[in-house]
Amino acid sequence: MEKEFYYLDEKEQKGPFTIEKLKIIGLKPETLVWADGFENWKQVKDVDELKIVLKKTPPPPPIIDTLSSSSIKDNENEILDEKMNNVEDSNIKFWASFKIFSSILVFILLAIFVGFYIVNSKKAKLKDDISLKINNVLDNKSLILDGTITLTEGKLKNTGYGTKKQKDTDDIFASFDWWETEKLYTIFTAESGGFTIKQLTKQSDESFDVLTSYSGDMGYKKPSSSYIAPQYMDDGWGGKFKISGGYQSSNYRTSVRDAYRSAYEYFTKEDKKSPGAYSPGKFIDINNFPDLRNEYFYLENREPKLYSSSGTFASSWESSGDHGANINNENWVVYYKTYGKHYELTENDSRINKDLMTNIGIAFGLIFLILLIAFISKPKYFRNLNLYGKRWQNLLYKEQIFFFEHSFFGKQTFTEVINDKVYKGTLKITDKGNTINLSYPNKELFYKIDKIDVDNLSLISIKDKSVVTLKRIGAKETIEIKNEDISTQKEETNQ
């Protein structure tokens, strides 16, 4: 009876099989076998009867997954084969580099976006800050005013109105003094002091007018005294005697000081000029209003964009003449002159741009630092780009082909083809680019990269120090063509 053997496939016992059957199965030298008469399991290479089996068994490939082939349909094999062939002629290093530099560009754009975001966030905060300050000055009103008054000093002068022949007002060629037009008997020419009124008007959230009214001269509409004509009575004997009159009577005019005070109160306490606008204690705030500012915003004296209380689109204006606008009653008139300025809330572009450039510069610096760290930590990354997108053939076991697929953001994968069997796994490059880790579904293989260039790949097994040499499939054919060309050239030379 022919001798039969059992063998272990992984941990599964199979058999019994005759030697002829084992030739067909093909056993490895390290495979454990047992037959009748053996005390323990032995390796095939230690059994003389089975050496004939090893003679017909091909040498084991250095990188072969012992797992069962994953079930891949024919159409999937065709897609994989087509993909491997298409990528073969592409410049994978270029595309991988393109991905890197595209990612760097994305990071740069992100840095610029972050710079803009930081500046815009700060700008929004500072705008809220200055808007709050403006509202604090305005007390949430659209119009406020306040003023101050001091003792007015100047000179009184009688105009002679009423005692001299008056000019014909219908004469278009006649010239009139201002007091003649107003029919003033006495004028007061102010030299210092008086009142100052400050008015702040909010035209919009970003548009404001500041009006300043200064008191000027004043005048009286009636003389300081009036002549009382004498009255007579008959004495009965054909004569008359004076019973009253015949003297100058005082008109008790308001003092200059009281006239200015009354005009001032017309603006303020009486609140008749702009009802509801009088805001005691706001004079200094209104006076300093144009100085409100922060890092990104200030009030610029410029032409209005939309609104102006002056009725003209100018950065500043003033009332015409020194004796136009006035406050008056039946006894006196006080003149004042108004100066106005328009302000727009304006962005401080130079400071904003400076901060923007600073933030973008910091972001660029961080990106450069990250890239520098990446370059230092993985100096062989660019060298290893030669690995991807090519079909690598094992020179010792030519039926074995590897295809490594690059993915910048996701997992990098590999495909191993042995005859008609296809194996897939995850590729990891560790040890600063010096070690390749081939991760199969239930095992991992580790190799040191000994040599890598465009056409050649040499790996050293970390487990047993064996060397695996692979060559790019396209490169081998190119070399052969070159050798043929060289041979042809030599033959032609010899002839």
Side-chain angles (χ1 to χ4, degrees):
M1 182 177 178
E2 189 175 358
K3 192 173 183 179
E4 295 180 327
F5 293 85
Y6 294 88
Y7 75 92
L8 292 179
D9 184 5
E10 296 293 342
K11 294 184 178 181
E12 182 182 356
Q13 176 180 308
K14 295 184 178 180
F17 299 103
T18 63
I19 292 178
E20 293 299 323
K21 183 66 174 176
L22 291 177
K23 288 180 181 179
I24 299 174
I25 295 174
L27 300 179
K28 297 179 182 179
E30 295 80 11
T31 303
L32 296 175
V33 297
W34 183 89
D36 188 21
F38 288 7
E39 292 183 3
N40 293 308
W41 291 82
K42 297 181 180 181
Q43 291 185 349
V44 173
K45 65 183 180 179
D46 296 330
V47 180
D48 292 337
E49 298 102 312
L50 298 180
K51 288 184 178 180
I52 190 173
V53 176
L54 295 177
K55 289 181 182 179
K56 294 185 178 181
T57 303
I63 307 176
I64 296 181
D65 186 10
T66 56
L67 297 174
S68 299
S69 164
S70 57
S71 58
I72 300 179
K73 299 178 182 179
D74 291 339
N75 62 338
E76 291 180 343
N77 280 321
E78 292 175 2
I79 294 172
L80 175 65
D81 186 61
E82 181 183 355
K83 181 177 181 181
M84 291 172 68
N85 280 289
N86 289 339
V87 179
E88 171 62 28
D89 296 328
S90 68
N91 191 338
I92 189 66
K93 187 173 182 179
F94 168 78
W95 287 111
S97 301
F98 177 76
K99 289 181 181 179
I100 293 172
F101 290 113
S102 297
S103 300
I104 293 174
L105 179 61
V106 169
F107 285 127
I108 290 174
L109 293 176
L110 178 62
I112 294 174
F113 170 78
V114 170
F116 272 100
Y117 176 79
I118 292 173
V119 169
N120 286 334
S121 297
K122 183 177 180 181
K123 184 163 67 172
K125 182 179 179 181
L126 290 177
K127 187 171 184 180
D128 290 340
D129 174 69
I130 197 167
S131 295
L132 179 61
K133 291 179 179 179
I134 291 172
N135 285 331
N136 287 338
V137 173
L138 285 165
D139 281 338
N140 294 317
K141 297 179 181 179
S142 60
L143 175 64
I144 62 171
L145 66 82
D146 191 17
T148 182
I149 186 171
T150 59
L151 180 64
T152 308
E153 296 182 354
K155 296 179 180 179
L156 275 173
K157 175 185 176 182
N158 290 320
T159 63
Y161 181 80
T163 61
K164 299 178 181 179
K165 181 180 179 181
Q166 304 303 308
K167 298 177 182 178
D168 185 2
T169 57
D170 294 330
D171 185 357
I172 60 175
F173 297 104
S175 60
F176 297 90
D177 292 324
W178 62 273
W179 49 265
E180 290 182 286
T181 304
E182 299 295 333
K183 301 177 181 180
L184 300 179
Y185 291 86
T186 306
I187 58 174
F188 178 82
T189 305
E191 297 176 350
S192 64
F195 62 78
T196 302
I197 305 296
K198 291 280 186 179
Q199 177 178 299
L200 174 60
T201 305
K202 177 181 178 181
Q203 304 292 350
S204 68
D205 289 339
E206 299 181 359
S207 181
F208 308 90
D209 288 334
V210 176
L211 298 178
T212 304
S213 299
Y214 301 96
S215 61
D217 299 335
M218 70 150 296
Y220 290 102
K221 294 182 177 181
K222 58 183 180 180
S224 59
S225 61
S226 298
Y227 177 73
I228 305 298
Q231 293 183 2
Y232 296 92
M233 186 175 225
D234 292 335
D235 57 6
W237 293 282
K240 296 182 178 180
F241 63 92
K242 185 172 66 173
I243 58 174
S244 65
Y247 59 89
Q248 293 288 331
S249 175
S250 175
N251 287 324
Y252 298 103
R253 295 185 306 193
T254 303
S255 66
V256 171
R257 180 178 180 180
D258 288 342
Y260 278 98
R261 170 65 63 177
S262 297
Y264 171 73
E265 292 180 352
Y266 177 87
F267 283 99
T268 56
K269 289 183 179 180
E270 296 179 12
D271 208 11
K272 292 181 179 179
K273 180 65 177 177
S274 302
Y278 178 53
S279 302
K282 288 292 183 180
F283 183 84
I284 295 177
D285 289 340
I286 300 173
N287 188 63
N288 296 334
F289 180 78
D291 297 327
L292 289 178
R293 63 180 61 237
N294 56 31
E295 288 184 80
Y296 284 3
F297 293 93
Y298 67 98
L299 290 164
E300 180 185 11
N301 177 215
R302 52 159 295 170
E303 296 81 6
K305 294 179 180 178
L306 293 175
Y307 308 102
S308 173
S309 58
S310 67
T312 59
F313 283 81
S315 60
S316 60
W317 62 93
E318 63 179 273
S319 56
S320 59
D322 293 328
H323 302 96
N326 62 81
I327 306 296
N328 63 85
N329 59 19
E330 68 278 4
N331 295 318
W332 50 261
V333 56
V334 175
Y335 297 93
Y336 65 90
K337 191 173 180 64
T338 299
Y339 300 88
K341 286 189 175 183
H342 182 80
Y343 294 91
E344 293 279 346
L345 187 60
T346 307
E347 294 181 3
N348 188 346
D349 291 333
S350 61
R351 181 54 187 268
I352 292 173
N353 291 334
K354 181 180 178 181
D355 280 4
L356 180 61
M357 292 298 103
T358 300
N359 287 318
I360 292 176
I362 292 173
F364 281 146
L366 291 175
I367 290 175
F368 177 78
L369 181 62
I370 291 171
L371 293 176
L372 182 63
I373 293 173
F375 179 78
I376 294 173
S377 62
K378 294 186 177 182
K380 298 181 179 179
Y381 180 81
F382 286 92
R383 178 201 71 172
N384 293 339
L385 292 176
N386 288 309
L387 183 69
Y388 303 106
K390 302 171 183 177
R391 289 175 293 170
W392 297 97
Q393 185 178 45
N394 190 330
L395 295 181
L396 181 62
Y397 187 65
K398 296 185 181 297
E399 288 78 6
Q400 183 183 38
I401 298 173
F402 280 95
F403 179 78
F404 302 99
E405 189 169 0
H406 182 274
S407 176
F408 187 75
F409 293 105
K411 291 182 179 180
Q412 300 177 102
T413 60
F414 72 90
T415 301
E416 179 186 10
V417 179
I418 301 178
N419 296 323
D420 294 330
K421 295 183 178 182
V422 179
Y423 307 90
K424 293 185 178 182
T426 303
L427 170 67
K428 298 178 182 177
I429 297 181
T430 58
D431 188 24
K432 297 183 179 180
N434 292 309
T435 302
I436 288 179
N437 175 16
L438 301 179
S439 179
Y440 292 87
N442 67 344
K443 73 173 184 179
E444 292 189 0
L445 301 176
F446 296 88
Y447 291 87
K448 280 280 187 180
I449 299 176
D450 180 49
K451 177 184 177 182
I452 182 171
D453 57 34
V454 176
D455 298 323
N456 301 284
L457 175 61
S458 179
L459 305 175
I460 300 175
S461 173
I462 294 178
K463 181 178 180 181
D464 56 13
K465 306 302 179 182
S466 61
V467 178
V468 181
T469 304
L470 301 104
K471 200 167 194 67
R472 184 173 67 88
I473 287 180
K476 182 179 179 182
E477 297 172 356
T478 303
I479 293 172
E480 289 178 355
I481 293 171
K482 288 182 179 178
N483 290 334
E484 290 176 5
D485 292 341
I486 292 171
S487 300
T488 303
Q489 291 175 4
K490 286 183 178 179
E491 291 176 2
E492 291 176 351
T493 303
N494 292 332
Q495 291 177 1

